[in-house]
Short mmCIF file of all heavy atoms in Angstrom, two decimals:
data_model
loop_
_atom_site.label_atom_id
_atom_site.label_comp_id
_atom_site.label_asym_id
_atom_site.label_seq_id
_atom_site.Cartn_x
_atom_site.Cartn_y
_atom_site.Cartn_z
N LEU A 974 -37.73 192.34 -29.78
CA LEU A 974 -37.12 191.80 -28.57
C LEU A 974 -36.33 190.59 -29.00
O LEU A 974 -36.88 189.65 -29.56
CB LEU A 974 -38.21 191.45 -27.55
CG LEU A 974 -37.82 191.05 -26.13
CD1 LEU A 974 -37.09 189.73 -26.06
CD2 LEU A 974 -36.99 192.12 -25.44
N SER A 975 -35.02 190.63 -28.79
CA SER A 975 -34.23 189.45 -29.13
C SER A 975 -33.46 189.02 -27.90
O SER A 975 -33.19 189.84 -27.01
CB SER A 975 -33.30 189.74 -30.30
OG SER A 975 -32.59 190.91 -30.06
N GLY A 976 -33.11 187.77 -27.86
CA GLY A 976 -32.42 187.28 -26.67
C GLY A 976 -31.46 186.15 -26.96
O GLY A 976 -31.59 185.46 -27.98
N ARG A 978 -29.03 183.12 -24.59
CA ARG A 978 -28.58 182.64 -23.29
C ARG A 978 -27.09 182.91 -23.15
O ARG A 978 -26.34 182.69 -24.11
CB ARG A 978 -28.84 181.13 -23.17
CG ARG A 978 -30.29 180.82 -22.85
CD ARG A 978 -30.56 179.36 -22.95
NE ARG A 978 -30.44 178.93 -24.33
CZ ARG A 978 -30.32 177.67 -24.71
NH1 ARG A 978 -30.30 176.71 -23.84
NH2 ARG A 978 -30.23 177.36 -26.00
N LEU A 1007 -32.01 190.97 -24.77
CA LEU A 1007 -32.12 190.31 -23.47
C LEU A 1007 -31.03 189.25 -23.28
O LEU A 1007 -30.76 188.45 -24.18
CB LEU A 1007 -33.50 189.64 -23.41
CG LEU A 1007 -33.73 188.68 -22.25
CD1 LEU A 1007 -34.64 189.35 -21.23
CD2 LEU A 1007 -34.35 187.39 -22.72
N ALA A 1009 -30.50 186.08 -21.38
CA ALA A 1009 -31.42 185.15 -20.71
C ALA A 1009 -30.68 184.36 -19.63
O ALA A 1009 -30.41 183.16 -19.78
CB ALA A 1009 -32.07 184.23 -21.75
N HIS A 1012 -32.94 181.55 -18.13
CA HIS A 1012 -33.11 180.41 -19.06
C HIS A 1012 -31.91 179.48 -19.07
O HIS A 1012 -32.03 178.28 -19.28
CB HIS A 1012 -33.34 180.92 -20.48
CG HIS A 1012 -34.78 181.21 -20.80
ND1 HIS A 1012 -35.21 182.46 -21.17
CD2 HIS A 1012 -35.87 180.42 -20.79
CE1 HIS A 1012 -36.52 182.42 -21.39
NE2 HIS A 1012 -36.94 181.20 -21.17
N TYR A 1096 -40.00 176.65 -20.08
CA TYR A 1096 -39.05 177.53 -20.80
C TYR A 1096 -39.78 178.53 -21.73
O TYR A 1096 -39.54 179.74 -21.67
CB TYR A 1096 -38.06 176.64 -21.57
CG TYR A 1096 -36.93 177.35 -22.26
CD1 TYR A 1096 -35.60 177.16 -21.85
CD2 TYR A 1096 -37.14 178.20 -23.35
CE1 TYR A 1096 -34.55 177.79 -22.49
CE2 TYR A 1096 -36.10 178.84 -23.98
CZ TYR A 1096 -34.80 178.64 -23.55
OH TYR A 1096 -33.76 179.27 -24.18
N GLN A 1100 -40.05 182.67 -21.85
CA GLN A 1100 -39.67 183.39 -23.07
C GLN A 1100 -40.82 184.30 -23.55
O GLN A 1100 -40.58 185.42 -24.00
CB GLN A 1100 -39.27 182.40 -24.17
CG GLN A 1100 -38.74 183.10 -25.42
CD GLN A 1100 -37.96 182.18 -26.34
OE1 GLN A 1100 -37.58 181.08 -25.97
NE2 GLN A 1100 -37.73 182.64 -27.56
N ASP A 1103 -40.67 187.32 -21.52
CA ASP A 1103 -39.55 188.16 -22.00
C ASP A 1103 -40.01 189.06 -23.14
O ASP A 1103 -39.69 190.25 -23.19
CB ASP A 1103 -38.41 187.30 -22.59
CG ASP A 1103 -37.74 186.40 -21.57
OD1 ASP A 1103 -37.88 186.66 -20.37
OD2 ASP A 1103 -37.07 185.42 -22.00
N ILE A 1104 -40.70 188.45 -24.07
CA ILE A 1104 -41.07 189.17 -25.30
C ILE A 1104 -42.21 190.16 -25.03
O ILE A 1104 -42.17 191.33 -25.42
CB ILE A 1104 -41.49 188.16 -26.40
CG1 ILE A 1104 -40.29 187.26 -26.75
CG2 ILE A 1104 -42.03 188.88 -27.63
CD1 ILE A 1104 -40.66 186.03 -27.56
N VAL A 1112 -39.65 189.17 -33.36
CA VAL A 1112 -38.57 188.47 -32.66
C VAL A 1112 -37.68 187.80 -33.70
O VAL A 1112 -38.12 186.88 -34.39
CB VAL A 1112 -39.15 187.41 -31.70
CG1 VAL A 1112 -38.05 186.86 -30.80
CG2 VAL A 1112 -40.28 187.96 -30.87
N GLN A 1118 -36.63 178.21 -33.20
CA GLN A 1118 -37.32 178.93 -32.13
C GLN A 1118 -38.76 179.31 -32.47
O GLN A 1118 -39.48 179.87 -31.65
CB GLN A 1118 -36.54 180.21 -31.76
CG GLN A 1118 -35.22 179.95 -31.07
CD GLN A 1118 -35.42 179.58 -29.60
OE1 GLN A 1118 -36.12 180.28 -28.87
NE2 GLN A 1118 -34.85 178.47 -29.18
N1 LIG B 1216 -34.62 180.68 -26.31
C1 LIG B 1216 -33.66 181.56 -26.87
C2 LIG B 1216 -32.47 180.72 -27.37
O1 LIG B 1216 -32.15 179.71 -26.85
C3 LIG B 1216 -33.17 182.58 -25.90
C4 LIG B 1216 -34.25 183.52 -25.46
C5 LIG B 1216 -34.73 183.68 -24.20
C6 LIG B 1216 -34.97 184.42 -26.30
N2 LIG B 1216 -35.71 184.63 -24.18
C7 LIG B 1216 -35.87 185.11 -25.44
C8 LIG B 1216 -34.93 184.70 -27.66
C9 LIG B 1216 -36.75 186.05 -25.94
C10 LIG B 1216 -35.81 185.66 -28.17
C11 LIG B 1216 -36.71 186.31 -27.32
O2 LIG B 1216 -31.81 181.13 -28.27
#
Side-chain angles (χ1 to χ4, degrees):
L974 189 292
S975 50
R978 281 171 293 164
L1007 169 105
H1012 273 120
Y1096 186 114
Q1100 185 163 346
D1103 296 341
I1104 297 166
V1112 190
Q1118 291 283 310

